[in-house]
Amino acid sequence: NYLKIFSPATVANVSCGFDSLGFAVDTIGDEMTFTKTQEKGVKITNITGANLTYDVDKNAASAVVKKMLEDANADFGVALTIHKGFSPGSGLGSSAASAAGAAFGTNKLLNNVFSNLELTKFAMFGEKVACGSAIADNVAAAIYGGFVLVRSYEPLEIIKLPVPNELRAVAIHPQIEVKTKDAREVLPSKIDLNDAVTQWANVGGLISGLYTNNYQLISNSLVDIIVEPHRKKLIPFFDNVKNSALKADALGAGISGSGPTIFALCKGDEIANKVHQSIKETYKETGIDFEMYISKVN
Ligand code: HSE
């Protein structure tokens, strides 16, 4: 009747895979508790770590719980607590962690009636409540874990991809907020065919690299010529961070989701530590506050 869960932060897009690739990390995330109540419906009893609404129809987590209880015709209600482990507007899938955690936890109380695909759809509803668009890349990564591909939105199809053993993620979160909505508005609605060819070839290369543990291929494919050139303007010193990561032997670096967090993928702990150090020194000089994370892809 009581459940405590961890819901991970996620890196969406992963350079070439705009709105279709994502991975989960294991060191950053939210903690949520679920308590069954006799009274039907959902209420939020406590939120810590961020200033979020207690309005159950507007909060990404409670909106998901409410919808699932209704759809499953549950004869009980849920009291929810949310502890945010990282900030909204970071580009690390904050609303997705809330929405996916809510879906996962509620499903446990419902004796796992819903599949992971159905949970992803519920969590997408939470994303829509939080930021206006039902994007699947963050929520699918949080629910399935590891690396995922959103192969299709209509109908929704999620492919869980393998994660090479030594893959590590380093992330830097400059302490500014970029709203997903704003970061989507700077994108072009049409793209050049040659650019599209480059981009989808890189997606194929990245996925092939994940399946074959080919770090060089992963590195060659972590390129984004379509979204990054437009969005990097919203992120102070993006190029400095990227160059600093690459100089320290990162496989690649790019914008995490819609930013401002910048991620770097690395092979092994040693290089991840070196990349962490290099980015840290680079960003210290900017005078902008930041937080950094180092994590497995999990
Ligand atoms: N794929 C999304 C974007 C992630 O880049 O806008 C943020 O929800």
Side-chain angles (χ1 to χ4, degrees):
N1 288 345
Y2 170 85
L3 184 72
K4 186 174 181 175
I5 64 140
F6 171 83
S7 188
T10 45
V11 171
N13 303 337
V14 202
S15 294
C16 48
F18 179 66
D19 280 359
S20 53
L21 283 173
F23 65 78
V25 299
D26 64 358
T27 50
I28 328 162
D30 296 346
E31 273 176 12
M32 301 171 76
T33 69
F34 301 76
T35 308
K36 264 191 184 179
T37 58
Q38 275 182 350
E39 194 186 334
K40 285 193 185 181
V42 56
K43 59 175 181 251
I44 306 172
T45 52
N46 197 23
I47 301 175
T48 52
N51 191 10
L52 296 173
T53 178
Y54 281 74
D55 181 333
V56 294
D57 294 309
K58 294 197 180 129
N59 180 291
S62 50
V64 168
V65 177
K66 186 176 169 187
K67 187 166 175 33
M68 287 175 73
L69 293 177
E70 281 169 7
D71 281 21
N73 219 353
D75 60 359
F76 61 89
V78 171
L80 196 62
T81 72
I82 304 166
H83 175 68
K84 299 296 297 177
F86 62 109
S87 342
S90 58
L92 286 163
S94 176
S95 54
S98 295
F104 180 83
T106 308
N107 197 37
K108 288 261 176 244
L109 296 183
L110 290 166
N111 294 321
N112 299 315
V113 283
F114 295 114
S115 67
N116 278 347
L117 191 67
E118 288 169 315
L119 295 186
T120 305
K121 288 182 191 167
F122 282 119
M124 285 167 73
F125 167 73
E127 279 282 59
K128 184 145 195 197
V129 167
C131 55
S133 25
I135 307 162
D137 46 9
N138 289 103
V139 289
I143 284 172
Y144 285 76
F147 232 112
V148 298
L149 168 71
V150 183
R151 215 280 308 158
S152 154
Y153 273 81
E154 277 297 332
L156 187 67
E157 185 181 344
I158 310 293
I159 314 283
K160 194 163 158 56
L161 303 168
V163 180
N165 245 338
E166 291 184 274
L167 206 58
R168 300 290 179 272
V170 176
I172 174 163
H173 174 203
Q175 303 290 290
I176 58 163
E177 189 181 340
V178 172
K179 291 207 160 56
T180 299
K181 194 169 165 285
D182 298 337
R184 293 182 84 82
E185 271 167 13
V186 301
L187 301 179
S189 54
K190 291 202 165 59
I191 59 168
D192 182 79
L193 183 61
N194 288 323
D195 289 349
V197 171
T198 302
Q199 195 88 350
W200 63 53
N202 279 322
V203 174
L206 176 54
I207 289 176
S208 175
L210 293 173
Y211 272 97
T212 55
N213 287 300
N214 186 336
Y215 291 93
Q216 187 59 53
L217 180 54
I218 292 172
S219 177
N220 295 347
S221 311
L222 281 171
V223 178
D224 171 13
I225 61 163
I226 289 176
V227 173
E228 186 178 291
H230 298 280
R231 281 187 170 172
K232 70 179 188 180
K233 298 168 197 149
L234 305 174
I235 304 171
F237 303 99
F238 172 81
D239 284 327
N240 303 49
V241 172
K242 185 168 174 172
N243 292 335
S244 165
L246 295 178
K247 225 165 61 197
D249 296 329
L251 298 167
I255 303 169
S256 174
S258 53
T261 292
I262 303 162
F263 78 96
L265 281 175
C266 309
K267 183 184 179 189
D269 292 320
E270 203 177 308
I271 293 178
N273 286 326
K274 193 167 87 172
V275 168
H276 182 275
Q277 193 58 29
S278 173
I279 294 177
K280 192 168 157 186
E281 271 158 30
T282 302
Y283 224 78
K284 262 195 203 153
E285 287 171 20
T286 70
I288 300 171
D289 287 341
F290 61 94
E291 277 176 11
M292 286 197 71
Y293 309 98
I294 195 162
S295 179
K296 288 187 177 162
V297 175
N298 194 6

